[in-house]
Amino acid sequence: TCGDINSWRRVCSADGNPQGFGFCEFKSPNDAASAIRVLSSTDGRKEGGWSLPSIKPTQQKLMIQVDFSVKELIDECQEMTNPAASAKCATDDELVQSVEGIIRELEAAVIETSQTDETKDEGGAENDDGADNTNEHAAVNAESGDDDGEKVVSLELEEEWEKERARSKRHKRYIAAAEEREQQTIAKQNERGDRIKWNAMRDLDEAEEKQHQRDDMSVMLSKWDDVQQAQMGEHSYYRDRQRWWRHRKAERAREMELDDADRRQQEREACASEKPASATTERRDLIEALIKEIPSDPKALFEWPVKWEKVNDALIKSKIEPAVRKRLAEYLGGEGDDSSVSELSDYVVTHIREHKPPQELIDELEMVLVEEAPTFVARIWRFVVYESEAHARNVT
């Protein structure tokens, strides 16, 4: 209604249920600007925002969130085009009328769905056949062009299609991940087998070489003739025994020095291995004490004074941002590289980087995570508090 779109992605939860939000990509900045002007709950043409019909007692408000960089691009394009204000208002009025017509159709569809559900509840098991006839009648009306029946059937089919699509996508990701893990396991096993085989061959070669040296020495000593060697004078021992003895004493002194150096190095390594063990135990105790000190109650947790001077870009990039992506993937049932997870992760990280209070983050995420928003924000905020305190107390 407000403009042409390239794509619409509706987010599903981990169990496959469609959520009440999604991501829309318009074809042009003008189309996106029209949607913002008409549908926005704060700056839109409808005072107080648009209320969406629902079968639940409470109505849902239509909320639109625009990325800051996208908003800047839209504003720049609007400044360049600068259409006439009267023409823009007329176009917006037409769009408002179109949106109102769609909402009226949805209200009629919701009323008909509620009446159908009440009829089914009152009839019970005796009206099962009647319910089937009602469904068949709705399907016939949809085929024949009945707008109200078409809306009811379309909504039901869309929800079923979204659930089936989410289940199929998760199943494909699971199969692909299992195959990748299997390939990695096989590659590691092959690499480990090759390494074991190479080490065994090396040890065998070294053992054979030592055995050859021992055999050669045994043969030489068995044929050694001291008188003959003294007459030949080829060995330095027989040519100049005093010089040979001086060299031998110097070599022996060097060997003893090397032995002492090796012994001292071993003692230092033994002492160093004992110190990290005690340091690790002390560090573990400090971490456990810090975890117990941080409150689990959301109210007390949100009142904890975060040491923002320790929450720098390096800490956000290395620890906080990966944790946010992982938690969002758990809540939304997607992977860390999903566009929806990435967009929400960037928004949460930006909120933390700007040192904004947690309650504002809960208010913004409620339309995405619904009742799970407070729990999600509490988990992320506890992690931020822990990392800031750990860096401040030097127990990282």
Side-chain angles (χ1 to χ4, degrees):
T1 300
C2 296
D4 297 330
I5 65 172
N6 287 329
S7 64
W8 160 255
R9 300 190 306 277
R10 187 175 182 180
V11 178
C12 294
S13 62
D15 54 1
N17 293 324
Q19 299 293 298
F21 73 99
F23 299 91
C24 183
E25 179 183 351
F26 286 88
K27 285 188 176 181
S28 68
N30 290 331
D31 294 334
S34 297
I36 295 172
R37 291 198 307 270
V38 175
L39 302 178
S40 176
S41 60
T42 55
D43 304 325
R45 302 280 293 176
K46 180 74 171 179
E47 185 177 356
W50 296 91
S51 297
L52 299 180
S54 173
I55 59 176
K56 298 180 179 179
T58 59
Q59 289 187 337
Q60 297 289 333
K61 286 286 187 180
L62 177 62
M63 304 289 293
I64 294 181
Q65 295 290 338
V66 185
D67 187 76
F68 181 74
S69 58
V70 176
K71 187 67 169 62
E72 287 185 341
L73 176 62
I74 293 174
D75 294 340
E76 290 177 2
C77 292
Q78 292 296 304
E79 291 177 359
M80 293 175 61
T81 55
N82 192 19
S86 60
K88 183 180 71 172
C89 292
T91 303
D92 291 348
D93 291 338
E94 294 175 358
L95 295 179
V96 168
Q97 294 177 2
S98 299
V99 174
E100 289 176 346
I102 293 174
I103 290 180
R104 285 195 296 270
E105 293 177 1
L106 291 176
E107 288 176 348
V110 169
I111 293 173
E112 183 173 347
T113 303
S114 300
Q115 293 175 351
T116 304
D117 293 340
E118 291 176 359
T119 303
K120 290 181 181 179
D121 294 338
E122 293 174 359
E126 297 178 358
N127 291 335
D128 286 345
D129 296 336
D132 294 337
N133 295 332
T134 302
N135 292 336
E136 292 175 2
H137 178 66
V140 171
N141 289 340
E143 294 177 358
S144 61
D146 189 338
D147 293 339
D148 293 338
E150 185 178 357
K151 288 295 181 181
V152 176
V153 175
S154 299
L155 290 174
E156 293 177 354
L157 291 178
E158 181 183 359
E159 291 183 356
E160 290 297 328
W161 180 78
E162 290 283 357
K163 291 181 181 180
E164 183 61 29
R165 183 185 178 191
R167 284 193 295 266
S168 177
K169 188 176 180 180
R170 285 199 308 274
H171 180 69
K172 289 181 180 179
R173 283 201 299 261
Y174 174 78
I175 295 298
E179 291 177 353
E180 183 179 358
R181 285 195 299 269
E182 183 179 2
Q183 300 252 349
Q184 292 176 354
T185 303
I186 293 174
K188 289 180 180 178
Q189 289 178 349
N190 293 336
E191 182 182 357
R192 182 172 179 271
D194 294 340
R195 188 167 58 251
I196 292 174
K197 183 178 179 181
W198 184 84
N199 291 335
M201 293 295 295
R202 183 192 60 184
D203 295 341
L204 182 61
D205 292 340
E206 291 179 354
E208 291 178 353
E209 180 65 24
K210 290 180 180 179
Q211 185 62 38
H212 286 321
Q213 292 177 358
R214 284 194 294 268
D215 294 341
D216 294 341
M217 182 63 68
S218 298
V219 172
M220 185 186 70
L221 292 177
S222 64
K223 297 180 179 180
W224 187 269
D225 188 347
D226 191 63
V227 176
Q228 183 182 3
Q229 292 294 332
Q231 292 175 353
M232 294 174 60
E234 293 179 355
H235 198 278
S236 59
Y237 175 78
Y238 297 103
R239 290 198 303 271
D240 190 346
R241 293 188 179 183
Q242 292 183 354
R243 182 180 180 185
W244 176 87
W245 179 241
R246 287 196 301 271
H247 282 292
R248 179 55 187 156
K249 286 195 296 184
E251 291 177 0
R252 182 57 182 164
R254 284 196 298 272
E255 290 175 357
M256 294 179 66
E257 289 178 0
L258 293 175
D259 290 341
D260 292 339
D262 290 341
R263 192 177 299 107
R264 289 192 298 270
Q265 181 64 24
Q266 291 177 357
E267 292 176 354
R268 285 194 297 269
E269 291 177 355
C271 295
S273 62
E274 293 177 358
K275 290 181 179 179
S278 59
T280 302
T281 303
E282 182 180 358
R283 176 177 173 274
R284 187 185 302 111
D285 295 339
L286 292 174
I287 291 175
E288 291 178 355
L290 176 58
I291 293 174
K292 293 179 180 178
E293 183 179 351
I294 299 175
S296 300
D297 179 63
K299 183 178 180 181
L301 177 63
F302 294 161
E303 293 176 355
W304 186 282
V306 181
K307 292 180 172 55
W308 291 114
E309 67 276 7
K310 300 297 180 180
V311 185
N312 51 29
D313 289 338
L315 178 61
I316 292 175
K317 285 290 185 182
S318 61
K319 293 189 175 181
I320 295 178
E321 186 173 356
V324 171
R325 287 180 178 273
K326 181 179 178 181
R327 296 290 182 267
L328 282 174
E330 293 176 359
Y331 278 87
L332 299 179
E335 298 294 336
D337 55 353
D338 281 358
S339 58
S340 57
V341 174
S342 299
E343 292 177 8
L344 284 177
S345 174
D346 293 341
Y347 178 80
V348 175
V349 170
T350 302
H351 187 95
I352 296 173
R353 184 178 280 111
E354 294 177 356
H355 305 170
K356 294 182 179 179
Q359 187 59 45
E360 291 185 9
L361 184 59
I362 293 177
D363 297 338
E364 294 294 335
L365 294 180
E366 275 184 346
M367 69 174 184
V368 178
L369 302 178
V370 197
E371 67 274 4
E372 295 178 343
T375 304
F376 168 78
V377 174
R379 294 178 65 183
I380 294 300
W381 207 258
R382 197 165 194 269
F383 184 77
V384 172
V385 170
Y386 167 77
E387 289 296 335
S388 63
E389 290 291 340
H391 281 74
R393 304 181 188 188
N394 196 22
V395 294
T396 56

